Amino acid sequence: MDRVTSKPAFVAEALALIAAPACACDAQGRITAANDAMAVLAGVPLLGRPLATLLEAGSADGMESAHARIGLARHEEDCWEGVLSGAGGAMAVEVRSRPLPAASGEPAAGATFVFSRAARGAGLPALRGTLLEQAAVAEHAPVGIVVTLPHLIKSCNPRLAGMFGYTPEQMVNRHPVEMFSSAAQYDAFIEEAIPVLERGGLYEKAEIQMRHRDGRAVWCRIRAKAVDMDSQEAGIIWILEDVTETRRALVEVQAIMTNATVGIFFSRERVFTRCNECFARMFGYGEAEVLGRSTRLLYASEQEYVELGAHAYGVLAEGRSFQCEATMLRKDGTPMWIKVIGYAVNLAEGDAGTLIWMLEDRTRQKRDEEALRVALMENQAILDNAVLGIAVVERGRTLRCNRKMAELFGRDFQGIDGARVRSLYPDAGGWLAARDATLQDFEAGRVHMAEREMVRGDGTRFWARLSGRPFDLDQRDGRSVWLVEDVTAEREAADALRRARDELELRVRERTAELQAEIVERRQAEARVHHMAYHDALTGLPNRALLAERLDRALLAARRGGDRLALMFIDLDRFKTINDSLGHLTGDHLLQEVAQRLCRVVRASDTVARLGGDEFVVLVPGVREPGECALVGDKIIAALAEPVRFEGRSLHISPSIGICLYPDDGADGASLMRHADAAMYQAKAAGRNNYQFYAERMSAAAARHFELETQLHGALARREFTLLFQPIVTTRERRTACLEVLLRWRHPQRGLVGPDEFIPIIEENGLIVPIGEWVIRHACEQAVAWRRAGVRAVPLAVNLSARQFMQRGLVESVRRILDDTGIDPAQLEFEITETALMQHGGATLETLAQLDCMGIRLSIDDFGTGYSSLAYLKRFPVHKMKIDRAFVRDLETSGEDQAIVAAIMALAGSLQLAAVAEGVENAAQLELLRRHGCDYAQGYLFARPLAADQVPLLLAREDGAAPAQAAAARPAA
């Protein structure tokens, strides 16, 4: 209850609100106000009457003591026992006094007195003892206890006062509404509790929010009982338990259950008692659907249910947490791989107690682990069966190697795994040189390739070709992987060839000093041929093979890191005009200068490669946005805008650049190259000297490519293909020694389509296989027809593509054609490019051997443009090598081409192979070829490709036969 003011009217109104007898006195102890209960109890008029005449203190001095107590009440609160004289006689009362507030600086204006019945008589000491015991209990009770009169706190224990931030003295005579959040809440609470208490019942409320003195919420559990409902003065006893922390803990637990990313459920005797939403979602149930059901529904079989339970309950009984992984079933029967963790809430309850289970769905992780395990097994199988030695090296030690590596060094796995790399070299000098060269290449971001002398476990030495690169180019001193190949036989062959060459050079040097320059050029040409395996001979840039390798690595890194990369296809505008008008020397210098400028404008991590001709490619990894590619394109255009000065001329060149991005424009290297090429054509169509990003719409060239590919599928059935024959003549007599079979396509609308347009398409889509078989069969039939007509037998040379050559059924197909046509196998010759030969060494050798056994002659086409292994070359049963037209075109003006031709002729002579020069167009070229000992030649100087009906006329002119006889030899149907 709030403190009252000293004004009599206000005091009287306040006393009327108190149910117990109460009155107010002035400073002289006279009654100034009294409520109805006090008037009824006294039975006499009270206003102006001294309170001491009605009240006697419970002590020896009686009224004087009461008078003293009344006087002290003006200064401090007091509580004492006395006897009140009233209409019903004297009665024992408990008196509670409280001073009235005074104006500022004035003495107290009086006091208020509230009376309640007190126990009297012979049982008073026992009653007081009981009250003392109860007071002691209340004083130390762990719950709050308060006794209230209507709208007034009569007394409380320390625990209750502390719950709300007061002392017990501060709580007395306060209005209970101060303990509630609002007056409305208090009123609703009283309306709910009083009816129960009036019936003599026990009122209970599990949870209610109340208010602390500082305003924060206090959650309480309340129980109440009326002391005596017949007397309001007896009051109500309330017991309040502070459940704030308990409620907060429950809220936190519920929050954990609700927001947990793992399934959680509680069980008792293996029956669901509670679960969270994640568990229900994980197994496909509703949250209430599993409650009260056995946990058996999670298991695929009774045996699994029993075994896991026995294991789990045994562990939990020891006070430890239980963990395992097991297969469980969703509601729809789908199996899941689940990680299970269990805890016992109360060990004292044993098997009947509550258990908490947390379940994590590890199905995807398990599937990924299995896929990784299978991949590792596959990789291990590849390593174990690889034909090269493979080892992983870190800090100068071999960490792991395959079986071939152990065989190369004559050791077992235990003998080489963990061995120091130094022990694989015969001496410290060789090891130090290899280590320094490797560090230089790794620091420059290059793959280290070298041939080194190594030592086996038994001390014998051998030569090995080493190829190593770091796992991570950013950590070049970390782990590296090495490929090791025994090249002792190759080196011995090369040494033998080198000795023969040195002897030849010595004899030539003794005879004439003029050939010295040619010998130097030939050595340089040999070095370039070896270097051309991975680099462009003219510019020194990575070639197509090395670009493909780096692009594959960059794509793999981009997929792992979620990055983007760009591929920029660059074609030099009008380069052919400069090359044709000013000569190849000028064109070559221009290409070299372009290569240097491209390398200067890109980052060290980018790759600049030359594909051939005037085509360059820039690989740009780590692209964040297309704008970066545009910046690189602008730099390239600006760099090439500067004129190139050569031999007094100022050459101007511009690029057309096509740009495509991974993964936006393609997911593999082939599609990225194709799309970048299409974008480059778009740049040329847009006026050249610009860059274009790849778009979905196809360029005109791409549309033509697609149209040709579509029409090629039915061209063979529509008999649109035809064969032409170009003579291969002897360089001395210029007499036809062989006819090369050339495929042409007579398109119904476009006319004769050149092989450069459609041959790459059918090689790409696989049509080369059936079309190639048709070419072989048709050529053989034509040769037989000529022979029957009496035409001189001339061998036919048929080209085999790389894809056709690697077809498994090639040998059987050729054998079937020979049987069907009856042609002499000696009249058939197959031309195969050196690149196709070297792609699959062992398989190539087997196929060549089978064709050779049939009597078919074999030749290497376009020799010098690919990469040849001399070790394989000397084992291949080939009879002829064809010098590519690229080395013949400028033969009369280029010393380098002459050196290359001389080197090829020397190699052909050493291997006892005939040589054919392609693309001979003038007599000067023919004369130089004769000097170098070239046996055969082919080109427009002798004859253009001829139709089948023109071949007999050509042979007849050479043989001097009658024209009528030649005309009788008609082409085969």
Side-chain angles (χ1 to χ4, degrees):
M1 182 174 69
D2 296 336
R3 296 185 183 273
V4 300
T5 181
S6 58
K7 293 182 178 181
F10 189 85
V11 172
E13 291 177 3
L15 293 177
L17 299 174
I18 301 176
C23 68
C25 296
D26 58 14
Q28 287 75 36
R30 291 189 298 269
I31 297 174
T32 58
N35 62 3
D36 292 342
M38 183 67 183
V40 172
L41 180 63
V44 294
L46 296 176
L47 294 180
R49 188 185 186 97
L51 180 59
T53 61
L54 300 176
L55 187 61
E56 179 183 339
S59 62
D61 50 6
M63 186 176 295
E64 293 180 4
S65 177
H67 185 77
R69 289 277 191 170
I70 293 170
L72 291 174
R74 293 185 299 123
H75 305 290
E76 61 182 13
E77 293 184 8
D78 197 3
C79 181
W80 42 281
E81 292 183 353
V83 178
L84 182 65
S85 300
M91 69 179 69
V93 293
E94 182 182 71
V95 184
R96 290 181 177 271
S97 63
R98 191 173 187 181
L100 287 170
S104 178
E106 296 183 2
T112 58
F113 299 86
V114 180
F115 306 92
S116 57
R117 294 180 183 273
R120 299 291 293 229
L124 184 58
L127 178 58
R128 285 181 174 173
T130 301
L131 290 175
L132 289 173
E133 292 175 357
Q134 293 176 351
V137 171
E139 184 79 13
H140 300 92
V143 295
I145 302 173
V146 60
V147 179
T148 65
L149 297 174
H151 308 298
L152 181 69
I153 296 175
K154 181 178 179 182
S155 64
C156 69
N157 69 342
R159 172 58 180 159
L160 183 121
M163 286 168 54
F164 293 93
Y166 297 93
T167 64
E169 292 76 12
Q170 293 172 329
M171 290 291 292
V172 174
N173 292 332
R174 285 187 176 275
H175 198 297
V177 73
E178 298 182 23
M179 298 161 56
F180 288 82
S181 300
S182 65
Q185 183 197 26
Y186 171 71
D187 293 340
F189 173 75
I190 292 299
E191 289 178 4
E192 178 184 337
I194 291 302
V196 177
L197 298 172
E198 286 178 345
R199 294 193 300 269
L202 175 65
Y203 172 76
E204 291 183 297
K205 192 168 186 67
E207 189 177 81
I208 185 172
Q209 182 178 351
M210 304 187 76
R211 185 177 63 183
H212 192 271
R213 183 179 186 179
D214 58 11
R216 57 188 169 89
V218 178
W219 288 87
C220 296
R221 181 182 295 116
I222 298 179
R223 302 181 70 189
K225 181 77 172 176
V227 177
D228 184 0
M229 288 311 299
D230 294 332
S231 174
Q232 290 187 347
E233 298 177 8
I236 302 172
I237 298 178
W238 305 82
I239 299 177
L240 283 71
E241 181 181 356
D242 187 350
V243 295
T244 304
E245 293 300 325
T246 303
R247 187 178 187 279
R248 182 180 295 115
L250 291 175
V251 170
E252 292 173 352
V253 170
Q254 184 59 43
I256 292 172
M257 292 281 287
T258 302
N259 298 294
T261 58
V262 297
I264 303 174
F265 73 88
F266 293 76
S267 70
R268 195 175 184 89
E269 296 181 345
R270 305 198 79 174
V271 173
F272 290 102
T273 60
R274 186 181 178 189
C275 72
N276 68 344
E277 181 183 353
C278 183
F279 170 83
R281 185 170 58 253
M282 183 186 302
F283 285 89
Y285 292 96
E287 288 190 54
E289 190 175 351
V290 297
L291 301 184
R293 298 177 65 181
S294 171
T295 56
R296 167 66 177 84
L297 60 85
L298 302 180
Y299 298 86
S301 66
E302 182 68 23
Q303 181 181 357
E304 294 179 8
Y305 171 70
V306 173
E307 289 179 354
L308 190 141
H311 185 197
Y313 278 83
V315 173
L316 294 173
E318 298 175 0
R320 295 182 289 130
S321 63
F322 171 75
Q323 294 189 32
C324 75
E325 291 190 0
T327 301
M328 293 187 172
L329 298 181
R330 288 175 52 87
K331 183 180 180 179
D332 59 6
T334 305
M336 295 188 298
W337 188 258
I338 300 295
K339 180 178 181 179
V340 182
I341 303 175
Y343 300 90
V345 175
N346 189 352
L347 293 175
E349 294 181 341
D351 293 345
T354 298
L355 303 179
I356 303 175
W357 301 90
M358 289 179 285
L359 282 66
E360 180 184 359
D361 185 357
R362 290 182 51 81
T363 305
R364 178 177 295 179
Q365 293 92 322
K366 192 71 174 179
R367 184 165 56 248
D368 293 344
E369 291 171 2
E370 180 63 20
L372 178 59
R373 187 184 67 82
V374 172
L376 290 175
M377 292 177 61
E378 293 174 350
N379 290 339
Q380 187 60 48
I382 293 173
L383 287 175
D384 290 343
N385 295 280
V387 297
L388 298 177
I390 303 174
V392 177
V393 176
E394 183 178 26
R395 301 186 184 280
R397 289 187 179 273
T398 58
L399 301 181
R400 189 182 179 195
C401 71
N402 67 344
R403 183 182 295 109
K404 183 64 177 179
M405 183 78 173
E407 292 175 359
L408 284 176
F409 287 90
R411 307 184 187 185
D412 55 18
F413 285 108
Q414 291 76 16
I416 197 167
D417 281 354
R420 298 191 66 83
V421 177
R422 165 65 182 85
S423 65
L424 306 180
Y425 287 83
D427 53 60
W431 174 68
L432 291 173
R435 186 189 64 178
D436 294 342
T438 300
L439 290 176
Q440 290 178 2
D441 284 342
F442 283 5
E443 288 296 329
R446 297 190 299 266
V447 174
H448 177 71
M449 298 185 65
E451 291 186 1
R452 304 285 181 184
E453 189 174 23
M454 314 294 284
V455 63
R456 294 188 176 91
D458 60 4
T460 58
R461 300 186 179 189
F462 70 102
W463 283 91
R465 181 179 293 121
L466 308 178
S467 176
R469 67 175 182 84
F471 276 93
D472 187 351
L473 293 177
D474 293 331
Q475 297 181 356
R476 293 162 185 155
D477 57 346
R479 290 190 179 184
S480 56
V481 62
W482 292 84
L483 305 181
V484 182
E485 180 184 5
D486 187 351
V487 294
T488 305
E490 294 182 23
R491 289 184 66 89
E492 290 175 352
D495 289 342
L497 180 61
R498 191 179 299 109
R499 287 193 297 271
R501 183 192 63 198
D502 293 342
E503 293 174 1
L504 177 61
E505 290 176 354
L506 181 60
R507 290 194 297 270
V508 171
R509 192 165 49 249
E510 290 173 350
R511 282 189 295 231
T512 175
E514 289 100 6
L515 294 179
Q516 183 64 37
E518 180 181 342
I519 294 174
V520 172
E521 290 179 358
R522 185 173 67 184
R523 288 179 177 174
Q524 293 174 348
E526 290 174 353
R528 284 200 304 274
V529 169
H530 185 270
H531 186 70
M532 282 168 59
Y534 287 103
H535 292 81
D536 176 56
L538 177 63
T539 63
L541 295 177
N543 61 7
R544 186 184 299 271
L546 185 54
L547 173 65
E549 180 180 334
R550 292 187 180 178
L551 179 56
D552 289 341
R553 288 205 308 267
L555 286 172
L556 180 60
R559 291 190 192 100
R560 288 176 177 172
D563 299 328
R564 304 170 78 183
L565 62 82
L567 200 67
M568 307 180 72
F569 201 105
I570 304 171
D571 186 87
L572 302 181
D573 301 330
R574 291 177 289 275
F575 171 78
K576 187 175 185 303
T577 302
I578 297 175
N579 198 47
D580 293 343
S581 60
L582 301 181
H584 294 290
L585 187 62
T586 302
D588 290 348
H589 178 80
L590 182 60
L591 291 174
Q592 291 170 342
E593 180 64 23
V594 168
Q596 294 175 7
R597 293 185 183 185
L598 289 177
C599 291
R600 285 198 295 266
V601 299
V602 300
R603 304 171 302 181
S605 58
D606 301 336
T607 296
V608 179
R610 182 188 177 212
L611 300 186
D614 59 350
E615 294 179 339
F616 295 84
V617 171
V618 178
L619 172 61
V620 186
V623 175
R624 291 185 293 271
E625 59 180 1
E628 297 180 6
C629 303
L631 181 61
V632 176
D634 290 334
K635 288 182 177 179
I636 292 174
I637 292 174
L640 299 186
E642 293 293 328
V644 178
R645 304 193 182 279
F646 182 68
E647 293 185 347
R649 292 187 176 93
S650 181
L651 307 176
H652 294 270
I653 197 73
S654 63
S656 292
I657 307 173
I659 305 173
C660 70
L661 298 172
Y662 168 86
D664 307 55
D665 303 326
D668 55 76
S671 61
L672 289 174
M673 289 288 290
R674 186 168 59 254
H675 293 164
D677 189 29
M680 183 270 294
Y681 279 108
Q682 292 177 2
K684 283 189 175 294
R688 308 174 187 266
N689 196 27
N690 69 94
Y691 55 83
Q692 296 289 329
F693 286 88
Y694 174 75
E696 285 296 330
R697 59 184 184 278
M698 297 195 325
S699 63
R704 174 177 172 82
H705 182 280
F706 178 76
E707 180 183 356
L708 291 177
E709 182 177 9
T710 302
Q711 295 173 345
L712 276 167
H713 279 281
L716 186 61
R718 295 191 297 269
R719 299 185 178 182
E720 294 175 359
F721 291 112
T722 186
L723 298 182
L724 298 181
F725 304 86
Q726 185 174 26
I728 299 174
V729 304
T730 59
T731 56
R732 300 296 178 186
E733 298 85 5
R734 298 180 65 164
R735 179 180 175 84
T736 301
C738 185
L739 291 170
E740 181 176 3
V741 181
L742 305 174
L743 178 65
R744 296 293 185 267
W745 179 22
R746 296 192 181 277
H747 193 279
Q749 286 81 36
R750 301 178 183 273
L752 193 63
V753 180
D756 291 340
E757 282 194 84
F758 74 89
I759 292 295
I761 298 176
I762 62 175
E763 286 184 343
E764 180 182 348
N765 61 21
L767 287 175
I768 189 67
V769 175
I771 294 175
E773 183 176 348
W774 177 87
V775 170
I776 298 173
R777 179 177 293 277
H778 202 69
C780 291
E781 291 173 350
Q782 184 64 66
V784 171
W786 283 335
R787 188 60 182 162
R788 288 173 181 168
V791 179
R792 171 165 58 92
V794 178
L796 298 182
V798 179
N799 287 281
L800 290 180
S801 72
R803 187 161 185 171
Q804 190 179 4
F805 182 71
M806 293 313 300
Q807 177 201 2
R808 291 188 175 182
L810 174 65
V811 175
E812 292 302 322
S813 174
V814 172
R815 183 178 287 113
R816 186 167 55 252
I817 292 172
L818 294 179
D819 294 340
D820 293 345
T821 60
I823 189 174
D824 183 0
Q827 296 300 309
L828 187 61
E829 180 177 307
F830 286 148
E831 294 183 1
I832 309 165
T833 64
E834 60 175 328
T835 301
L837 285 174
M838 299 305 159
Q839 282 181 344
H840 305 279
T844 299
L845 186 60
E846 181 181 353
T847 302
L848 293 178
Q850 295 182 53
L851 294 175
D852 185 60
C853 289
M854 294 183 193
I856 298 173
R857 298 176 65 82
L858 304 168
S859 64
I860 302 176
D861 197 12
D862 298 337
F863 186 80
T865 61
Y867 171 71
S868 296
S869 168
L870 297 180
Y872 276 122
L873 189 61
K874 73 175 185 177
R875 295 164 59 192
F876 288 158
V878 296
H879 306 83
K880 189 184 297 181
M881 61 172 60
K882 299 187 73 174
I883 304 172
D884 188 74
R885 66 181 70 249
F887 304 124
V888 177
R889 184 186 301 114
D890 303 319
L891 187 63
E892 67 270 28
T893 59
S894 172
E896 293 180 352
D897 288 341
Q898 292 179 20
I900 292 174
V901 170
I904 294 175
M905 293 304 305
L907 180 61
S910 300
L911 297 176
Q912 298 183 349
L913 301 177
V916 180
E918 296 180 306
V920 180
E921 298 182 358
N922 56 59
Q925 294 172 343
L926 178 61
E927 181 60 28
L928 286 172
L929 291 170
R930 284 175 177 167
R931 290 183 194 173
H932 289 295
C934 183
D935 306 308
Y936 303 97
Q938 176 184 4
Y940 287 176
L941 177 64
F942 312 109
R944 291 180 176 272
L946 305 174
D949 57 354
Q950 295 176 314
V951 171
L953 298 176
L954 172 68
L955 297 179
R957 285 197 300 271
E958 292 179 353
D959 297 339
Q965 178 183 354
R970 298 185 180 276

